[in-house]
Amino acid sequence: MQITPAELEIMNVLWDQPGIGASEIADALEGGKDWNIRTIKTLVGRLVEKGALTTEPDGRRYLYRPAIRRGDYQKKAAKQFVDRMFGGRAAPLVAHLADARGLSADDIAELERLLGDLKK
Amino acid sequence: MQITPAELEIMNVLWDQPGIGASEIADALEGGKDWNIRTIKTLVGRLVEKGALTTEPDGRRYLYRPAIRRGDYQKKAAKQFVDRMFGGRAAPLVAHLADARGLSADDIAELERLLGDLKK
DNA sequence: CTCTTTTGACTACGTTTGTAGTCGATACTC
DNA sequence: GAGTATCGACTACAAACGTAGTCAAAAGAG
């Protein structure tokens, strides 16, 4: 089940607010993404076809909610990305991120905690 | 300059062995990727159009080499990926990777070294 | 020299993706 | 109740993608 970048925007909205309709999705879309409502409905329809969303009738419209967990999808996507771009090695990826956007002190602290856990 | 997954396979070969021709690329492609030579040439042609590869005549054929550095491309792709999938937060990504594929002891050591550097 | 192979240039073509439009039915506004 | 907004279902359509085919010229095989 591959989710395209445009579709992912929809998924992100629905992971944050499951059980809303198409017009609420339109409202909730971040910043510049002022897609036409038709566009949103097309993307939602494709996600339903793919089995990534479930529908629930609500009067004459549908409410949508993710059929897959965000964490599961993120994990699969992360693995695929690292495999393709970095031959499966995570460290170079983190190095690039550090360089590209400057990890915040919080990020660094979190990573340290994580590494501490992993070593056990 | 967006590079598609199929094109990235080509780039990876050329980053490892810059200055080879289409048939050498075919030979060098990893494992299952036994693409038709036409397919490879199409992909190479598109990469040249996009400015991702430079050409150098060699007799009646061309040798190709990347016009962009692997590191630069990785960095941009990593940033874009983390932005899209994790709202820009690197730590959850690393957590998923750790979970999904079990970071090796080497990976962990490398990340620790990296974090040590970052804290300075 | 003739046949086969290889190369670049150009073309092909189904599928996926982004971005909507049309249509008929229902709901909401006055 | 008549006009307008909204919904789902279906359709449209160009660009990008994956995967290759055709063609003419040049190079290599015998």
Side-chain angles (χ1 to χ4, degrees):
Chain A
M1 167 163 23
Q2 86 296 30
I3 292 176
T4 73
E7 289 166 358
L8 183 59
E9 300 286 342
I10 307 287
M11 292 303 289
N12 276 328
V13 168
L14 285 168
W15 273 318
D16 287 337
Q17 304 169 59
I20 61 178
S23 54
E24 285 96 329
I25 295 174
D27 293 341
L29 278 166
E30 300 276 313
K33 282 118 196 164
D34 54 342
W35 282 324
N36 189 297
I37 183 68
R38 324 268 174 201
T39 299
I40 293 169
K41 287 183 180 187
T42 298
L43 293 172
V44 166
R46 288 176 183 169
L47 285 166
V48 171
E49 274 176 29
K50 288 180 186 177
L53 295 180
T54 61
T55 59
E56 170 193 340
D58 173 46
R60 81 185 172 109
R61 68 183 195 147
Y62 289 124
L63 303 183
Y64 304 96
R65 63 186 75 237
I68 57 185
R69 270 171 309 177
R70 180 181 230 156
D72 288 349
Y73 183 72
Q74 285 176 330
K75 184 181 306 184
K76 214 174 42 178
K79 174 169 167 13
Q80 194 180 7
F81 178 77
V82 173
D83 284 347
R84 270 220 298 257
M85 283 297 299
F86 295 94
R89 309 258 324 153
L93 168 57
V94 177
H96 278 302
L97 290 174
D99 194 16
R101 39 188 319 119
L103 293 175
S104 69
D106 281 357
D107 285 334
I108 294 177
E110 194 168 347
L111 287 177
E112 281 188 319
R113 218 166 5 84
L114 222 128
L115 288 181
D117 289 351
L118 285 177
K119 280 203 297 187
K120 277 175 244 165
Chain B
M1 170 167 15
Q2 85 295 29
I3 292 176
T4 74
E7 288 165 358
L8 183 59
E9 300 286 343
I10 307 287
M11 292 302 289
N12 276 329
V13 168
L14 285 167
W15 273 317
D16 286 338
Q17 304 169 58
I20 62 178
S23 54
E24 285 95 330
I25 295 175
D27 293 340
L29 277 167
E30 299 276 316
K33 282 119 197 163
D34 55 342
W35 282 324
N36 188 295
I37 184 68
R38 323 272 171 199
T39 301
I40 292 168
K41 287 184 180 188
T42 299
L43 293 172
V44 166
R46 286 177 185 167
L47 285 166
V48 172
E49 274 177 28
K50 287 181 187 178
L53 295 180
T54 61
T55 59
E56 169 193 340
D58 172 46
R60 81 190 170 104
R61 68 184 196 144
Y62 289 125
L63 303 182
Y64 305 96
R65 63 186 75 237
I68 57 184
R69 271 170 309 179
R70 180 179 229 157
D72 288 349
Y73 183 72
Q74 286 176 329
K75 184 182 307 185
K76 215 173 41 176
K79 174 170 166 13
Q80 194 180 7
F81 178 76
V82 173
D83 283 348
R84 271 218 298 255
M85 282 297 299
F86 295 93
R89 309 259 325 154
L93 168 58
V94 176
H96 278 301
L97 290 174
D99 194 15
R101 40 189 317 121
L103 292 175
S104 70
D106 281 357
D107 284 334
I108 294 178
E110 193 168 348
L111 287 176
E112 281 188 319
R113 223 168 354 90
L114 221 129
L115 288 180
D117 289 351
L118 285 177
K119 281 204 298 189
K120 277 174 241 164

Short mmCIF file of all heavy atoms in Angstrom, two decimals, chain A residues 3 5 17 26 29-30 32-34 39 46 54-55 59 71 76 81 85 89 91 97-100 113 115 117 119-120:
data_model
loop_
_atom_site.label_atom_id
_atom_site.label_comp_id
_atom_site.label_asym_id
_atom_site.label_seq_id
_atom_site.Cartn_x
_atom_site.Cartn_y
_atom_site.Cartn_z
N ILE A 3 1.42 5.18 -0.38
CA ILE A 3 0.68 6.43 -0.20
C ILE A 3 1.51 7.54 -0.81
O ILE A 3 2.68 7.69 -0.48
CB ILE A 3 0.43 6.66 1.30
CG1 ILE A 3 -0.55 5.60 1.82
CG2 ILE A 3 -0.11 8.06 1.54
CD1 ILE A 3 -0.79 5.68 3.31
N PRO A 5 2.75 11.45 -1.79
CA PRO A 5 2.94 12.63 -0.95
C PRO A 5 1.66 13.42 -0.73
O PRO A 5 1.36 13.82 0.39
CB PRO A 5 3.97 13.44 -1.74
CG PRO A 5 4.77 12.42 -2.48
CD PRO A 5 3.80 11.33 -2.83
N GLN A 17 -6.90 13.97 13.48
CA GLN A 17 -8.33 14.13 13.78
C GLN A 17 -9.14 13.05 13.07
O GLN A 17 -9.80 13.33 12.08
CB GLN A 17 -8.83 15.50 13.28
CG GLN A 17 -8.08 16.68 13.83
CD GLN A 17 -8.44 17.95 13.09
OE1 GLN A 17 -9.61 18.37 13.06
NE2 GLN A 17 -7.46 18.59 12.46
N ALA A 26 -10.42 19.67 4.51
CA ALA A 26 -10.01 20.87 3.79
C ALA A 26 -9.62 21.97 4.77
O ALA A 26 -8.61 22.65 4.60
CB ALA A 26 -11.13 21.34 2.87
N LEU A 29 -6.20 21.27 6.65
CA LEU A 29 -4.92 21.15 5.93
C LEU A 29 -4.00 22.31 6.24
O LEU A 29 -4.41 23.48 6.24
CB LEU A 29 -5.17 21.05 4.42
CG LEU A 29 -5.52 19.64 3.95
CD1 LEU A 29 -6.09 19.67 2.55
CD2 LEU A 29 -4.32 18.73 4.03
N GLU A 30 -2.77 21.96 6.49
CA GLU A 30 -1.76 22.94 6.88
C GLU A 30 -1.53 24.01 5.82
O GLU A 30 -1.60 23.75 4.62
CB GLU A 30 -0.43 22.23 7.07
CG GLU A 30 -0.42 21.15 8.12
CD GLU A 30 -0.18 21.73 9.50
OE1 GLU A 30 0.73 22.55 9.64
OE2 GLU A 30 -0.93 21.36 10.43
N GLY A 32 -0.04 26.33 3.23
CA GLY A 32 -0.23 26.60 1.81
C GLY A 32 -1.18 25.64 1.09
O GLY A 32 -1.64 25.94 0.00
N LYS A 33 -1.46 24.48 1.71
CA LYS A 33 -2.24 23.47 0.99
C LYS A 33 -3.71 23.83 0.86
O LYS A 33 -4.56 23.22 1.50
CB LYS A 33 -2.11 22.12 1.68
CG LYS A 33 -0.81 21.42 1.39
CD LYS A 33 -0.03 21.23 2.66
CE LYS A 33 1.42 20.91 2.38
NZ LYS A 33 2.28 21.08 3.55
N ASP A 34 -4.02 24.81 0.04
CA ASP A 34 -5.42 25.14 -0.13
C ASP A 34 -5.92 24.48 -1.41
O ASP A 34 -6.10 25.08 -2.43
CB ASP A 34 -5.62 26.66 -0.18
CG ASP A 34 -4.76 27.30 -1.24
OD1 ASP A 34 -3.79 26.65 -1.68
OD2 ASP A 34 -5.06 28.43 -1.64
N THR A 39 -10.32 18.08 -5.30
CA THR A 39 -9.02 17.42 -5.21
C THR A 39 -8.94 16.59 -3.94
O THR A 39 -8.51 15.44 -3.96
CB THR A 39 -7.91 18.49 -5.22
OG1 THR A 39 -8.01 19.21 -6.44
CG2 THR A 39 -6.55 17.84 -5.14
N ARG A 46 -9.24 7.81 -3.31
CA ARG A 46 -8.17 6.87 -3.64
C ARG A 46 -7.65 6.17 -2.39
O ARG A 46 -7.32 4.99 -2.43
CB ARG A 46 -7.03 7.61 -4.34
CG ARG A 46 -7.40 8.01 -5.76
CD ARG A 46 -6.31 8.83 -6.43
NE ARG A 46 -6.75 9.26 -7.76
CZ ARG A 46 -6.11 10.15 -8.50
NH1 ARG A 46 -4.99 10.72 -8.06
NH2 ARG A 46 -6.58 10.49 -9.69
N THR A 54 -11.04 4.11 6.36
CA THR A 54 -12.35 3.49 6.46
C THR A 54 -13.39 4.59 6.44
O THR A 54 -13.10 5.74 6.79
CB THR A 54 -12.51 2.70 7.77
OG1 THR A 54 -12.36 3.61 8.86
CG2 THR A 54 -11.45 1.63 7.88
N THR A 55 -14.60 4.24 6.01
CA THR A 55 -15.67 5.24 5.93
C THR A 55 -16.76 4.87 6.90
O THR A 55 -16.97 3.70 7.22
CB THR A 55 -16.28 5.27 4.53
OG1 THR A 55 -16.80 3.97 4.24
CG2 THR A 55 -15.24 5.63 3.50
N GLY A 59 -25.23 10.84 8.03
CA GLY A 59 -26.20 11.56 7.22
C GLY A 59 -25.90 11.27 5.76
O GLY A 59 -25.67 10.12 5.39
N GLY A 71 2.14 5.08 13.22
CA GLY A 71 3.45 4.53 13.60
C GLY A 71 3.88 3.40 12.67
O GLY A 71 5.04 3.32 12.28
N LYS A 76 7.51 1.67 8.30
CA LYS A 76 7.77 1.05 7.00
C LYS A 76 8.43 2.05 6.05
O LYS A 76 9.39 1.73 5.34
CB LYS A 76 6.46 0.54 6.40
CG LYS A 76 6.63 -0.73 5.61
CD LYS A 76 5.27 -1.29 5.15
CE LYS A 76 4.34 -0.20 4.67
NZ LYS A 76 3.04 -0.76 4.20
N PHE A 81 13.01 4.19 3.10
CA PHE A 81 13.80 5.37 2.75
C PHE A 81 15.28 5.13 3.05
O PHE A 81 16.15 5.41 2.21
CB PHE A 81 13.29 6.58 3.52
CG PHE A 81 14.08 7.82 3.25
CD1 PHE A 81 13.92 8.53 2.07
CD2 PHE A 81 15.02 8.27 4.18
CE1 PHE A 81 14.67 9.67 1.82
CE2 PHE A 81 15.77 9.42 3.93
CZ PHE A 81 15.59 10.11 2.74
N MET A 85 18.12 5.22 0.19
CA MET A 85 19.04 6.36 0.12
C MET A 85 20.37 6.08 0.80
O MET A 85 21.38 6.69 0.44
CB MET A 85 18.41 7.57 0.79
CG MET A 85 17.35 8.27 -0.02
SD MET A 85 18.03 8.96 -1.57
CE MET A 85 19.23 10.11 -0.90
N ARG A 89 21.83 2.17 6.27
CA ARG A 89 22.57 2.65 7.44
C ARG A 89 21.92 3.92 7.99
O ARG A 89 21.77 4.92 7.29
CB ARG A 89 24.01 3.00 7.05
CG ARG A 89 24.72 1.88 6.31
CD ARG A 89 25.66 1.11 7.19
NE ARG A 89 26.33 1.96 8.16
CZ ARG A 89 26.78 1.52 9.33
NH1 ARG A 89 26.62 0.27 9.66
NH2 ARG A 89 27.38 2.34 10.16
N ALA A 91 22.98 5.83 10.61
CA ALA A 91 23.85 6.88 11.13
C ALA A 91 24.10 8.01 10.12
O ALA A 91 23.99 9.19 10.49
CB ALA A 91 25.17 6.28 11.61
N LEU A 97 20.82 14.95 8.81
CA LEU A 97 19.76 15.74 9.43
C LEU A 97 20.37 16.77 10.36
O LEU A 97 19.95 17.93 10.40
CB LEU A 97 18.81 14.84 10.20
CG LEU A 97 17.95 13.94 9.31
CD1 LEU A 97 17.16 12.98 10.16
CD2 LEU A 97 17.03 14.80 8.46
N ALA A 98 21.34 16.32 11.10
CA ALA A 98 21.99 17.23 12.04
C ALA A 98 22.56 18.42 11.27
O ALA A 98 22.41 19.57 11.66
CB ALA A 98 23.11 16.50 12.77
N ASP A 99 23.16 18.10 10.15
CA ASP A 99 23.79 19.13 9.36
C ASP A 99 22.75 20.01 8.67
O ASP A 99 22.87 21.23 8.61
CB ASP A 99 24.68 18.45 8.31
CG ASP A 99 25.62 19.44 7.67
OD1 ASP A 99 25.78 20.54 8.23
OD2 ASP A 99 26.16 19.12 6.61
N ALA A 100 21.73 19.37 8.16
CA ALA A 100 20.77 20.10 7.33
C ALA A 100 19.89 21.05 8.14
O ALA A 100 19.55 22.12 7.69
CB ALA A 100 19.88 19.11 6.58
N ARG A 113 18.74 9.72 24.99
CA ARG A 113 17.93 8.85 25.82
C ARG A 113 17.66 7.54 25.07
O ARG A 113 17.78 6.44 25.60
CB ARG A 113 16.62 9.55 26.17
CG ARG A 113 16.16 9.28 27.57
CD ARG A 113 15.06 10.21 28.06
NE ARG A 113 14.52 11.17 27.12
CZ ARG A 113 13.55 10.89 26.25
NH1 ARG A 113 13.04 9.69 26.16
NH2 ARG A 113 13.11 11.84 25.46
N LEU A 115 19.38 6.21 22.64
CA LEU A 115 20.56 5.37 22.51
C LEU A 115 20.85 4.66 23.82
O LEU A 115 21.26 3.50 23.83
CB LEU A 115 21.76 6.22 22.10
CG LEU A 115 21.70 6.70 20.65
CD1 LEU A 115 22.93 7.53 20.32
CD2 LEU A 115 21.59 5.53 19.71
N ASP A 117 18.68 3.66 25.92
CA ASP A 117 17.77 2.51 26.00
C ASP A 117 18.26 1.39 25.10
O ASP A 117 18.19 0.21 25.45
CB ASP A 117 16.37 2.93 25.55
CG ASP A 117 15.69 3.84 26.57
OD1 ASP A 117 16.26 3.98 27.67
OD2 ASP A 117 14.63 4.39 26.26
N LYS A 119 21.15 0.58 24.17
CA LYS A 119 22.34 -0.14 24.60
C LYS A 119 22.02 -1.22 25.61
O LYS A 119 22.78 -2.16 25.77
CB LYS A 119 23.36 0.84 25.19
CG LYS A 119 24.13 1.56 24.08
CD LYS A 119 25.47 2.07 24.57
CE LYS A 119 25.25 3.11 25.66
NZ LYS A 119 26.54 3.76 26.04
N LYS A 120 20.89 -1.06 26.27
CA LYS A 120 20.54 -2.07 27.28
C LYS A 120 20.00 -3.34 26.60
O LYS A 120 19.43 -3.30 25.53
CB LYS A 120 19.51 -1.49 28.25
CG LYS A 120 20.19 -0.65 29.33
CD LYS A 120 19.13 0.03 30.21
CE LYS A 120 19.19 1.55 30.09
NZ LYS A 120 18.02 2.22 30.60
#
